[in-house]
Amino acid sequence: MANIISYLVLFSLIALFFFTMKRIMKRDNVINELIIGFYDQTSISKDELIDRIYDYANSDFRLKKLVNKHQATRDDFMTIFEKLIYWGNFKKRKRYLPVNSFFFYGSLSYLLEHKDDDAKKLTMKMMNYFHI
């Protein structure tokens, strides 16, 4: 009996690992696509970028909880984006602060809690968060 339980636990951990990795890979692909489209090739407009970021946040089970908790709207995302792009409009390696900041629980939580803060303060906090 103990053998069956240990196999069940092992299988559950393996399944959890694969589902988590699938979610992370999907998120990273979306981030890279948006950065390339907006910053590198400028084929994505700012409005389309914000729409896609907001849609992703509402489709991801962890980020959706934050959006609902703070009752964040697309306009909130646009306001935060404008603040981040003013001071952080540069790309370092595969990171582009105005985009990456919306895709991680910790950074999005901070942004939504402090959306009325000064643009420089928000940008500096995100630069520290992403080690830029």
Side-chain angles (χ1 to χ4, degrees):
M1 184 68 172
N3 211 7
I4 293 172
I5 292 174
S6 58
Y7 282 128
L8 188 59
V9 169
L10 178 64
F11 177 74
S12 299
L13 288 174
I14 291 170
L16 178 65
F17 172 78
F18 281 114
F19 285 122
T20 302
M21 289 308 297
K22 181 180 178 186
R23 180 182 162 271
I24 290 170
M25 289 172 53
K26 177 186 172 193
R27 178 194 64 204
D28 290 348
N29 286 337
V30 170
I31 292 170
N32 288 333
E33 178 185 333
L34 293 177
I35 291 171
I36 289 169
F38 183 75
Y39 186 80
D40 293 338
Q41 298 175 352
T42 64
S43 60
I44 297 176
S45 69
K46 182 170 50 172
D47 289 331
E48 183 182 351
L49 176 71
I50 297 301
D51 287 340
R52 291 176 68 181
I53 290 172
Y54 187 71
D55 290 344
Y56 181 86
N58 280 305
S59 68
D60 184 77
F61 75 96
R62 292 185 74 208
L63 300 180
K64 185 176 184 175
K65 290 177 187 176
L66 280 175
V67 172
N68 291 336
K69 176 183 173 186
H70 295 283
Q71 299 175 344
T73 63
R74 184 194 175 284
D75 291 335
D76 293 333
F77 275 58
M78 179 63 87
T79 302
I80 294 168
F81 180 82
E82 292 290 340
K83 289 180 179 184
L84 292 175
I85 204 167
Y86 183 78
W87 288 98
N89 190 17
F90 59 89
K91 184 178 166 188
K92 186 171 181 186
R93 288 179 240 120
K94 288 187 173 186
R95 294 186 179 132
Y96 180 57
L97 201 66
V99 172
N100 284 75
S101 299
F102 291 97
F103 285 90
F104 297 90
Y105 187 89
S107 60
L108 184 60
S109 176
Y110 182 84
L111 290 174
L112 293 176
E113 287 173 14
H114 298 91
K115 63 185 171 191
D116 297 325
D117 286 3
D118 179 53
K120 186 174 183 180
K121 181 180 176 184
L122 279 180
T123 305
M124 294 301 289
K125 184 72 172 181
M126 290 301 103
M127 288 174 73
N128 289 333
Y129 184 85
F130 289 104
H131 306 288
I132 295 176

